[in-house]
Amino acid sequence: MGTSNFLYNHKLDVISGTSFSTFDLEAYNKEMDEEDRLKADDYEAIGNILRWNSENAVEDIRYRADEPYRECDQWRKHRIDGFRILSTTDASEDKGEYMTRCFGGTRIATLTAETLFWGVNICMELDVILRCGYYDGNNIDQEFRIYTEYSNYSILEGYEMSSFDEAIDYVITELEDADIATYQQLCTHRKGINRRLCALEQVLWERYEELISPWCEQYQVFARFSNGETWYNRTAA
């Protein structure tokens, strides 16, 4: 059983080939000459293989996320639920903000999507975070933020999937403060704002899957205890 502690529970992704408990020693040795084959207690050598697998995955994810610095169209265009959504990815510099938490992690990429509402950009970001599992493996976590072009203030940290009430209130307050419209006028558009947020979220998940799916395998909750400890194992193919 591979066990990792996830910061959030949106998608439980673990980088393939980084769990000691799922390392296929027999398959590895099958490709090796006699003198290069490993034994079950060759912990250091197996650990190095798992570490290299993680480093290779992170290097490739960061390379493919680094759109602003490659010769390509930085902003991709989407049409979701009738809304025009622009998205991009970036191998963001890690500033250690996730190391301050329990089982801290490293930001390896940031995905951004934005759309216009009353001439103002509503932006949603998803940070892709690498963390060492408490027991085994390296897992990928996701943290969301939302903001408008009028403010760097962001919310949605640890949000519940598709529950945007607080985010809608935030957008309305931002636009009211910017004298875009009155509070009463903006409140009549709550459903429209919610649909835009759902569209932004959908695009971010699509970009996320493109970025990490070649390197990750899905896990699921196996057991959860009253003290908060949780065990995970791989989802059956």
Side-chain angles (χ1 to χ4, degrees):
M1 180 191 302
T3 53
S4 302
N5 281 345
F6 293 86
L7 189 60
Y8 305 116
N9 288 307
H10 303 319
K11 292 183 183 288
L12 310 184
D13 291 309
V14 173
I15 294 180
S16 303
T18 62
S19 295
F20 193 94
S21 58
T22 60
F23 181 74
D24 193 336
L25 184 64
E26 183 178 348
Y28 178 85
N29 284 336
K30 193 174 182 179
E31 305 296 327
M32 294 294 153
D33 296 330
E34 182 68 33
E35 64 272 15
D36 295 325
R37 291 176 182 169
L38 299 177
K39 297 183 175 60
D41 60 354
D42 287 336
Y43 301 118
E44 183 176 356
I46 294 174
N48 285 335
I49 294 170
L50 304 184
R51 176 174 54 81
W52 293 330
N53 288 344
S54 178
E55 290 174 352
N56 287 339
V58 170
E59 182 179 355
D60 182 73
I61 290 170
R62 279 183 159 155
Y63 172 76
R64 289 186 295 114
D66 211 2
E67 286 183 346
Y69 302 100
R70 292 162 59 191
E71 293 181 3
C72 63
D73 182 11
Q74 177 181 345
W75 290 92
R76 195 185 300 181
K77 302 175 180 66
H78 312 259
R79 184 68 63 176
I80 304 290
D81 196 16
F83 302 118
R84 183 173 182 265
I85 312 291
L86 299 179
S87 72
T88 190
T89 64
D90 180 19
S92 303
E93 178 186 357
D94 177 60
K95 297 180 180 179
E97 62 266 47
Y98 293 107
M99 291 304 297
T100 61
R101 312 182 183 194
C102 268
F103 312 112
T106 300
R107 181 175 59 189
I108 58 177
T110 296
L111 288 67
T112 303
E114 63 180 41
T115 192
L116 281 174
F117 175 69
W118 280 28
V120 177
N121 275 323
I122 301 175
C123 305
M124 189 181 291
E125 288 184 344
L126 186 161
D127 278 349
V128 180
I129 306 159
L130 171 72
R131 299 193 310 120
C132 294
Y134 181 75
Y135 298 102
D136 194 15
N138 291 307
N139 56 275
I140 298 292
D141 273 316
Q142 316 90 22
E143 177 160 301
F144 285 80
R145 290 184 299 278
I146 185 170
Y147 56 94
T148 75
E149 61 188 72
Y150 287 103
S151 175
N152 291 324
Y153 174 76
S154 59
I155 61 174
L156 289 190
E157 181 177 321
Y159 82 110
E160 294 183 6
M161 190 76 73
S162 300
S163 177
F164 292 123
D165 286 344
E166 184 182 355
I168 294 169
D169 291 336
Y170 164 72
V171 171
I172 288 174
T173 300
E174 284 285 289
L175 299 187
E176 180 192 19
D177 290 345
D179 292 327
I180 301 299
T182 67
Y183 180 82
Q184 288 76 15
Q185 288 173 322
L186 292 164
C187 280
T188 63
H189 294 278
R190 290 187 69 89
K191 288 184 179 179
I193 297 172
N194 185 80
R195 287 172 55 209
R196 284 170 171 82
L197 296 179
C198 289
L200 291 170
E201 180 195 38
Q202 181 178 334
V203 168
L204 287 180
W205 280 128
E206 290 174 0
R207 300 299 303 267
Y208 169 85
E209 292 294 343
E210 291 174 4
L211 196 63
I212 65 93
S213 60
W215 292 101
C216 289
E217 53 193 3
Q218 188 78 32
Y219 272 52
Q220 62 187 358
V221 174
F222 176 79
R224 182 168 281 133
F225 303 96
S226 59
N227 64 355
E229 182 178 2
T230 307
W231 291 357
Y232 304 87
N233 62 6
R234 284 192 295 181
T235 302

